[in-house]
């Protein structure tokens, strides 16, 4: 799977994507990630990506023109490289915005069906609403405001990548974890030491009695209200 991320801060992704599971997934060639600098798709000498909003208002708005050029360039590259992927869904373009549908595990599973995902990361006060006509869907990661769409993009890459076959050490790891079913929260986990400052691990987990342990786990698992 290929992730294309349109941003004005492409280097912001270097640290997170070069650690842990995401790093290993790239080494295994399970995923490819490319951050595209939106300023490369401007036409003026100042590489302008924002402007004052029509009708007045506080702050600056991300312009539609550079985003359009970036998406067109990425789409053109995809057409040249995706002829072999006709049987698989190829493209999905996402815009991060508070007006989008809240991201969840079901959405992450759905996105694993695509060959390539392009994400637009707005900044400033907001984006020109015409950008919404250039994407397939709008996503929010919660009812709060961030300074840009870069963190949401990291979240989507992480959530989708770990669901791809062969990315985790054991594919079974994702079968019983939280949200593997609608609203499901996994049972509590414990490890050594058995007793830490008078906080003890449940005796049943140390019993070796597999049936009782399974019953305990089932009893502790719950559905999120």
């Amino acid at each position: 799977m290929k992730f294309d991320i349109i941003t004005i801060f492409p280097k912001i992704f270097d640290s997170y994507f070069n650690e842990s599971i995401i790093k290993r997934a790239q080494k295994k060639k399970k995923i490819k990630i490319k951050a595209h600098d939106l300023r490369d798709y401007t036409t003026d000498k100042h590489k302008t990506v924002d402007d004052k909003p029509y009708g007045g208002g506080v702050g600056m708005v991300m312009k539609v023109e550079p985003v359009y050029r970036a998406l067109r360039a990425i789409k053109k590259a995809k057409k040249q490289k995706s002829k072999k992927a006709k049987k698989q869904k190829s493209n999905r373009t996402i815009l991060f915005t508070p007006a989008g549908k809240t991201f969840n595990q079901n959405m992450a599973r759905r996105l694993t069906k695509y060959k390539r995902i392009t994400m637009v990361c707005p900044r400033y006060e907001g984006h020109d609403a015409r950008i919404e006509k250039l994407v397939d869907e709008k996503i929010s990661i919660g009812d709060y405001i961030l300074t840009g769409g870069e963190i949401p993009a990291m979240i989507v890459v992480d959530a989708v990548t770990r669901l791809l076959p062969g990315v985790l050490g054991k594919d079974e790891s994702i079968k019983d974890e939280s949200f593997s079913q609608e609203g499901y929260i996994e049972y509590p986990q414990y490890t050594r030491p058995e007793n830490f400052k008078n906080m003890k691990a449940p005796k049943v987990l140390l019993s070796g009695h597999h049936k009782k342990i399974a019953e305990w786990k089932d009893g502790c698992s719950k559905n999120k209200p």
Side-chain angles (χ1 to χ4, degrees):
M1 174 178 282
K2 175 73 179 290
F3 295 97
D4 291 290
I5 305 172
I6 299 172
T7 173
I8 61 171
F9 295 111
K11 293 183 180 180
I12 207 169
F13 299 97
D14 291 348
S15 176
Y16 190 79
F17 288 157
N18 283 293
E19 300 288 346
S20 190
I21 291 172
I22 304 299
K23 179 181 180 180
R24 294 198 297 270
Q26 291 178 87
K27 281 190 173 182
K28 291 180 180 179
K29 297 184 178 180
K30 299 292 183 181
I31 63 169
K32 291 183 179 180
I33 305 171
K34 183 173 182 179
H36 302 261
D37 191 339
L38 184 62
R39 297 189 188 280
D40 291 340
Y41 300 93
T42 58
T43 56
D44 66 305
K45 65 179 181 180
H46 300 296
K47 296 185 178 294
T48 306
V49 296
D50 64 324
D51 208 339
K52 296 178 181 179
Y54 283 136
V58 179
M60 303 290 278
V61 174
M62 180 172 280
K63 292 165 62 68
V64 64
E65 295 167 300
V67 174
Y68 171 78
R69 293 191 192 95
L71 290 173
R72 186 172 62 176
I74 292 169
K75 187 175 181 180
K76 184 177 180 180
K78 287 176 180 177
K79 282 184 177 180
Q80 294 173 348
K81 296 180 180 180
S82 64
K83 291 181 179 179
K84 296 179 181 180
K86 290 182 179 179
K87 293 183 179 180
Q88 185 178 5
K89 295 179 181 179
S90 56
N91 274 349
R92 196 66 177 171
T93 304
I94 295 167
L95 173 69
F96 295 109
T97 166
K101 186 176 180 181
T102 303
F103 187 66
N104 59 28
Q105 192 72 356
N106 284 336
M107 293 173 71
R109 290 192 196 95
R110 173 172 58 80
L111 291 174
T112 63
K113 306 301 180 183
Y114 292 92
K115 185 72 175 176
R116 302 181 68 148
I117 297 173
T118 301
M119 293 171 277
V120 181
C121 302
R123 277 268 166 173
Y124 311 115
E125 179 65 19
H127 59 273
D128 188 311
R130 289 170 289 189
I131 293 174
E132 298 178 13
K133 298 182 182 296
L134 307 177
V135 303
D136 298 308
E137 65 180 295
K138 298 177 289 184
I139 286 178
S140 166
I141 61 165
D143 295 339
Y144 46 84
I145 301 299
L146 299 173
T147 54
E150 286 76 18
I151 291 176
M154 293 180 196
I155 289 172
V156 169
V157 171
D158 191 308
V160 173
T161 295
R162 65 191 311 282
L163 293 174
L164 298 175
V167 168
L168 298 182
K170 295 181 179 179
D171 290 339
E172 293 81 6
S173 300
I174 65 175
K175 289 183 179 180
D176 296 319
E177 66 182 358
S178 295
F179 305 114
S180 56
Q181 302 172 36
E182 187 70 30
Y184 172 81
I185 301 297
E186 191 177 7
Y187 50 83
Q189 303 274 12
Y190 296 87
T191 188
R192 295 178 178 83
E194 177 185 345
N195 187 344
F196 177 72
K197 295 186 181 295
N198 292 321
M199 294 182 287
K200 298 180 179 180
K203 289 184 179 180
V204 65
L205 298 180
L206 308 172
S207 67
H209 196 299
H210 298 300
K211 183 178 180 180
K212 288 184 178 180
I213 291 173
E215 290 173 350
W216 179 89
K217 289 180 177 180
D218 288 341
C220 291
S221 301
K222 59 183 179 179
N223 287 320
K224 190 174 181 180

